[in-house]
Amino acid sequence: MMIISTIIVTYNRKNLLLRCLDAVLSQSISSRYVLIINNASTDNTEESLAKKFNTDTDVCVKEKLVKLASFENINTDVFLFNKANNTGGAGGFACGMELAEKELQSNYYWMMDDDGYPSESCLEQLLKTSQKLNVDYVMPVSLDIDNHKQLSWAVRKRNGRKTTSYDELRKSWGSILDYVTPFNGILLTKDCVARVGYINKDFFIWGDEYDHYWRCRKAGYNPVTDLNAIFFHPSAKLPFVPIFGGLLNVPYVDSKLRMICLARNYTYIYRHYNQKYKIPIKWIMYGWLFIITRHGDFEGWKLYKESVKDGLKGDFTRHLKYLS
């Protein structure tokens, strides 16, 4: 029996979550289970879900699967799991994957954040491609949620050049792109999850999808992107700051929590997946950012250096002190 579990991780975006849920429940083929992982939201997410599904269930119970609704016409059950603490996207997906495997005995995992939503035929197309090509890791193309002719981020064409045009990308690759830009709307098989494991919850935010992708590659899986399967997602929002007189740009956010995760997690990825050469390059780039561009931001530079060292050691604890 084919059991597909849709896993949606949410944090303080109840309206976006409801939009995503509507799209998931309107698919041309249905998930057997829809599993919402609520990362200790403080915006009354639980009450909004209770109202949507008209349930009398105690939706605020923590760390326990709660059934919100059953739809006999599409053979789908909707569950909510409220985390006691915010564990970030990484912790949310790890929790969802474990529940889908151990509690729901799933053999397909369809995973997404709350801020995007799939097209009506997205799941059907992904499943068709997974079975036709015998691939265990397939994801949809992400289109800008506000402009469906544009990609959510630049993607490499066959000639190595990048484009943000959906039509250009399709003309270059056809229907199947032989690599992925994880993570939204990804479909994984039970075999893949059993061999590779869950998302590394210690990452908290950022980079966890790439870590899992590289682990899949090391295990012998060849992820692909189905350009006929559509997922609508906001365009890349991470701000980039110009350095070296505008010759290069580096991502920067004015948040200690986020900068720790950014520097630490990607350093870990570079070290463990044959990209060590990037570590000194990033060190120089961020040194310039903090000392020159940010006019002697030595506190920021110190935090960056400490976070890089954490990534080299595999220490994922520094961000915890900045959780509110």
Side-chain angles (χ1 to χ4, degrees), residues 283-297:
W283 186 276
I284 294 170
M285 292 171 68
Y286 278 97
W288 184 283
L289 169 71
F290 287 110
I291 297 171
I292 306 299
T293 305
R294 291 183 56 77
H295 308 293
D297 181 1

Side-chain angles (χ1 to χ4, degrees), residues 134-147:
N134 193 28
V135 291
D136 295 87
Y137 185 133
V138 58
M139 69 173 297
V141 63
S142 289
L143 299 189
D144 188 339
I145 209 164
D146 298 317
N147 182 352

